[in-house]
Amino acid sequence: MHPLRKNRPLRRTVLACAAAVAATVLPLSLKPHTNPGATAVPPQRSSSAGSGSRTVTGDTARTRWGPVQVRVTLKDGRLTDVAAVQQPSGNPRDQEINAYALPRLRAEALAAQNADIDTVSGATYTSTGYRQSLQSALDSAAR
């Protein structure tokens, strides 16, 4: 019998298991890309004299994929605008996720007039950070 045609079921089983483990462990061991140049914008308050309009920046929420921070504008106690100051942007996938998640989160916040908003599917970490920073900004505005 030719040496390459020997029947070795145990060797095949071990190789198949090793390949399955490698295919499972390798993607899980990849670390997310972080942007070392990202700087936090400190929470700030500004108000327009006499107009009843205030702009407040929330705390930076650290998420698995990067920082999330929002700035809110309130007029006569009502939320009139929410803008993302920081969002994960270390790779094209982050930018793609933010392109559809941030407008939805903004619309939800304006409709709810508080930080009790739904998570956007596919952007769980960004949604959580957005809610945390939004709540921080609203808490600061209430003081």
Side-chain angles (χ1 to χ4, degrees):
M1 182 178 268
H2 192 272
L4 294 178
R5 293 190 182 190
K6 290 184 181 177
N7 191 7
R8 302 201 179 206
L10 186 58
R11 183 179 288 174
R12 279 190 231 140
T13 302
V14 169
L15 288 174
C17 288
V21 168
T24 303
V25 171
L26 284 176
L28 295 175
S29 68
L30 295 175
K31 300 221 181 327
H33 176 74
T34 57
N35 187 357
T39 58
V41 176
Q44 55 181 315
R45 289 183 177 188
S46 69
S47 62
S48 303
S51 71
S53 179
R54 296 177 57 181
T55 302
V56 182
T57 302
D59 293 334
T60 301
R62 304 274 176 219
T63 70
R64 178 178 180 179
W65 304 112
V68 178
Q69 187 177 33
V70 299
R71 180 176 294 135
V72 299
T73 303
L74 298 117
K75 183 169 184 171
D76 299 326
R78 293 210 28 98
L79 193 58
T80 59
D81 191 26
V82 182
V85 177
Q86 288 188 62
Q87 65 268 349
S89 60
N91 61 54
R93 180 68 176 139
D94 290 339
Q95 295 166 6
E96 179 184 349
I97 289 170
N98 292 331
Y100 76 86
L102 294 177
R104 285 182 174 86
L105 291 167
R106 178 183 181 276
E108 288 250 350
L110 292 174
Q113 290 292 305
N114 59 43
D116 187 22
I117 57 177
D118 289 334
T119 298
V120 175
S121 179
T124 304
Y125 292 104
T126 300
S127 298
T128 301
Y130 194 95
R131 269 195 308 275
Q132 289 171 352
S133 185
L134 177 60
Q135 186 63 56
S136 168
L138 293 173
D139 291 345
S140 293
R143 290 185 211 144

